[in-house]
Structure formats: structure tokens, C-alpha cells
Amino acid sequence: MIVLVSLVLFVLGMVLAAVGSRLAGRCATWCFALCGFPLWVVSGTVASLCIALPQLMLAFLASGLSITSLAVGAALAGAAADIGLVLAVCLLRRQVDVLRGEFIRKCLLLLAACLVLLLFVRDGLLSYTGVGLLMALFVLFVLENIVYQRRFIYGEGLERDTLLSARAGSAPAGGLRGADDGTVRFPAMSIVNSLRNLGGVLLGGALLVAGAYALVIASVTFANLTGTIQALWAATFLSLGFSLPLLAEAFQHPLGSVWKRFAERCRIYPPAAFPMHILNAAILNITLVLPIASLMYRKRLPVGEQFRSYELPACVLMALVLLVPAACKRRLYRWQGAACLGIYLIYLAAVLLAPRAGA
């Protein structure tokens, strides 16, 4: 009976986390725009950060409850799933257009974050210096996002340089030159719409908290019932579950018309920017989720042997697979998606067949 209840709780938590994060992210984006923030600031901050909300909330709750394996696993396994599963599917199934310079910078940020973890995890504990460096990389990520978005929107010397299946045309120049302050414009800004979106933020946040808490309880229960380490559940069911909504978008919403309509209504970025936002999510999982978990834990955050042996090497290998052809050949290839997917499947098999102690 307890297994059935835990399974229902797990599935319910996934649904609530997916719905809550999308709803809160869309309404928060609208609220920031309504407050007068420029479009390039909203696009570079809120729209980029909201995609990592499920992992962030789960790590926040798990570390507060001293369940550090789930907190670290949600971040590192989530980053591996974002690149090795979702981004790989995008490269294999969709026509991907990304700006070369932006893509290379994001891959370098991901490699730098992994390098910080490899260097500053001593005796299985993440040092405070490492946490500080990760937070510095997060600040660098946000600043780079804002600068890029402003250059793109206003056409400040940013040339279109696609990496794979180049499309005709170029990046829009001077997208908002006609606006006097560069803020987001909506056709109707009323008290009713403002209260509706503010309520959407609160409702989405409540659903997200409830879903994350349900996932923590269900994962701990499954680990105790099966006698397995908690990191195993974070690396498999949690990371795969968080990837399902993103995979649905990568596969053109095979989950059905209901989720498709909801996802499109709550979209906070253009469809063409989806692959880049997946890479952003992987970076945020390491540079934002881990420092938040460390601050919430209030001590040096334990990073188990499994994470150092499996998740980090997998992320480094996949980042190099993406980076090297983009830097040398000035394009992306579909084989890179197959390579990343292969690395992820090997990593998943290693986690399932040979889990490491101390996670």
C-alpha cells in the first residue's frame, strides 16, 4: 500500500512541479514587464531563470531538510539530463539555429562550473570558495545574458551566425528602436490583468512548492523501501521526470493537446530559442541550484562520490562534444546529438548498475 501511495505522490509531484513552474514563470515574466523593466532585462533574467525552477525548489527544500543527496542530485543529474537527453533530441530531430559566439560562451561557462566542482570538492564537501566561485559564474551568466539580449534586440552589431542548417535571413535589427524606453508593451494593462498575473505567480509558486515537497517525500520513501541510495533516484526518476515537459516540446508535444495548449500559453521564450534555453538550464543547475542548496544547508554541502564519478565527467564530456565542433568547424552536427545521447545512456547505465557509495 505504501508503495502505491508513494508512486501516486511521485507522479502528482511531477505534474504539480511542471504546471507550477510554467505558470509562475509566465506570470512572473509578465509582472516584471508590467513594472517597466526593459525587454532585454526580462529576457536575460526572468525568462532564463524560470526554466530551472523545479530543480531549484526541490534542492531548496531537500537541503533545508538535510537530504543533501537529493539536492545535489537534482542539480547535477538535471544538468546531465538537460544536455544528454533534451538537447540531444533537439539536435537529432529539429533544425537548430543558435548564434555561434553565444553558444561557445555558454559551453565555456558550463565547463568552468564543472571545473570548479572538480577542484573545490575536498573530502566529499564543497568548499565555501567553490560556492563563491559558482555564484560568481552565475552573476557572469546573468550579465552575459543581459548584454546579449540588449545587443540582439537593438541590433548593436550582432550578426547572425547559425551553426546548423542555416536559415535564410538575419537577426532582426533594431527590434524596439521605435520605443522610447525599450519596455515591453502589452495591448491591455489593467488592474484585472495585473491581479490575475500576480495571482498566477502565487498559485504557480504554491503548486511548485507542493510538487517539490511531494517529490522529496516520495523519493526518500522509495530509497528507504528499496534500500538504495537517494542519489540513484535523483539521477534516474527525478531527472527524467523533470525532463518530460521539455522532451514533450522537443518532440513537438506528443503528450497531447492539453499540455501543448498550456505550454504554448505559458511560453516565456521564442520557440527557436528552445535549444539555447536548455543549455542555460544546465548551467543554472550548477551555478545557481548548488549554491542555493549550500546556503540553505548552512554548512559545507556534501557532494557524494557518485556525483564526482558519474555526473561531473558526463557533463564535461557532453560540453566538449558540443564546444569543439562549434569552435573549430563553425557549425553543429546531428552526430553531436547522437554522441551526447550515447554519453547520457552510458552514464545512466553506470548509475543503475554500479552506484557508488557515499552519495
Side-chain angles (χ1 to χ4, degrees), residues 142-322:
V142 172
L143 292 177
E144 197 277 333
N145 254 6
I146 293 175
V147 171
Y148 163 75
Q149 290 293 336
R150 191 183 194 284
R151 293 176 61 202
F152 183 81
I153 290 173
Y154 289 97
E156 297 180 348
L158 192 67
E159 297 180 355
R160 184 71 168 175
D161 184 14
T162 56
L163 301 178
L164 176 66
S165 302
R167 298 176 186 268
S170 59
L176 287 178
R177 290 185 189 275
D180 55 351
D181 57 358
T183 54
V184 176
R185 303 297 186 182
F186 288 91
M189 289 187 179
S190 63
I191 296 296
V192 174
N193 284 338
S194 301
L195 294 177
R196 182 183 302 166
N197 281 272
L198 182 59
V201 174
L202 297 177
L203 176 60
L207 293 177
L208 179 59
V209 171
Y213 188 74
L215 288 173
V216 170
I217 298 302
S219 299
V220 172
T221 302
F222 279 130
N224 293 336
L225 288 175
T226 57
T228 55
I229 58 176
Q230 296 167 1
L232 178 64
W233 294 90
T236 53
F237 285 96
L238 279 179
S239 60
L240 292 173
F242 284 142
S243 299
L244 283 180
L246 301 175
L247 278 175
E249 191 166 348
F251 279 107
Q252 306 298 327
H253 297 282
L255 296 182
S257 58
V258 175
W259 175 257
K260 181 178 181 179
R261 288 196 298 269
F262 174 76
E264 290 178 348
R265 187 176 181 84
C266 293
R267 184 182 298 280
I268 56 177
Y269 48 79
F274 176 70
M276 185 60 73
H277 277 277
I278 295 301
L279 187 56
N280 289 344
I283 298 172
L284 288 171
N285 279 337
I286 301 178
T287 61
L288 176 62
V289 176
L290 280 181
I292 291 297
S294 179
L295 293 175
M296 188 62 184
Y297 187 57
R298 298 182 297 277
K299 291 185 290 186
R300 293 178 61 189
L301 187 68
V303 180
E305 185 181 355
Q306 174 161 312
F307 304 124
R308 305 193 304 272
S309 301
Y310 295 145
E311 274 84 354
L312 280 177
C315 288
V316 170
L317 286 176
M318 290 186 288
L320 290 174
V321 167
L322 294 174

Side-chain angles (χ1 to χ4, degrees), residues 60-77:
F60 181 82
L61 293 177
S63 56
L65 296 172
S66 297
I67 311 174
T68 56
S69 294
L70 288 183
V72 178
L76 294 180

Side-chain angles (χ1 to χ4, degrees), residues 17-53:
V19 173
S21 61
R22 294 289 180 114
L23 180 61
R26 176 63 186 93
C27 294
T29 303
W30 198 94
C31 289
F32 272 82
L34 181 59
C35 290
F37 286 88
L39 175 60
W40 43 274
V41 174
V42 177
S43 299
T45 55
V46 183
S48 297
L49 300 180
C50 286
I51 196 171
L53 277 179

Side-chain angles (χ1 to χ4, degrees), residues 80-159:
D82 287 337
I83 302 174
L85 194 58
V86 184
L87 187 57
V89 169
C90 287
L91 290 173
L92 288 171
R93 289 185 53 88
R94 319 173 36 146
Q95 184 171 347
V96 176
D97 289 339
V98 291
L99 294 176
R100 176 174 176 265
E102 178 74 358
F103 187 81
I104 290 176
R105 286 191 292 270
K106 293 298 175 61
C107 288
L108 290 175
L109 273 175
L110 180 61
L111 284 173
C114 293
L115 182 62
V116 168
L117 287 179
L118 290 173
L119 293 178
F120 291 94
V121 174
R122 303 187 183 94
D123 300 325
L125 298 174
L126 178 60
S127 67
Y128 296 122
T129 303
V131 174
L133 289 175
L134 290 178
M135 296 179 70
L137 289 174
F138 167 70
V139 173
L140 182 62
F141 167 83
V142 172
L143 292 177
E144 197 277 333
N145 254 6
I146 293 175
V147 171
Y148 163 75
Q149 290 293 336
R150 191 183 194 284
R151 293 176 61 202
F152 183 81
I153 290 173
Y154 289 97
E156 297 180 348
L158 192 67
E159 297 180 355

